[in-house]
Structure formats: structure tokens, C-alpha cells
Amino acid sequence: MKEVTNCESCANFVYDDEDECYVCDMNLDEDDMVRFLTGTFDNCPYYQLGDEYLIVRHQM
């Protein structure tokens, strides 16, 4: 079963002030970039949950 990832919750999905839009901060190769731009980038190997409070909640 494939893990589905959501770019909007990824720590590598950051706002670019110069382009005024959100971009993937990872250095994607050409195939990965095409999948990212078309919205078919499931099971991303660079996905990191962008929830910085996850560790704190786990410790409580």
C-alpha cells in the first residue's frame, strides 16, 4: 500500500518571496519536478511532517 503525502503539510514546502508562491525546497530531478507540478507526487521520498509540536505532544 502506497503512502500518500500532502505537500501542504511538508516541512520542505516553503513560501518563496521572490516568486510569491509556495515551492518545494528540495532539489528535485526532472521527473520528480514534473510529478510535483502536475499534482501527482504521491509517496514523496523527501516528505517530512511539518508539525514542529509533534515531539512536544509526544513527551506530554
Side-chain angles (χ1 to χ4, degrees):
M1 187 167 167
K2 287 172 74 172
E3 179 183 342
V4 178
T5 57
N6 182 357
C7 291
E8 293 177 2
S9 66
C10 182
N12 297 316
F13 195 60
V14 297
Y15 188 77
D16 184 3
D17 290 326
E18 188 174 305
D19 291 333
E20 297 181 348
C21 64
Y22 283 90
V23 296
C24 182
D25 201 27
M26 297 306 297
N27 191 7
L28 302 176
D29 66 12
E30 186 176 346
D31 293 333
D32 288 340
M33 183 58 80
V34 168
R35 289 188 296 162
F36 173 74
L37 293 174
T38 58
T40 58
F41 203 44
D42 296 339
N43 199 19
C44 175
Y46 308 110
Y47 180 81
Q48 294 178 355
L49 183 62
D51 186 4
E52 61 260 3
Y53 297 108
L54 181 66
I55 295 172
V56 175
R57 282 194 304 266
H58 181 69
Q59 291 174 347
M60 295 176 93

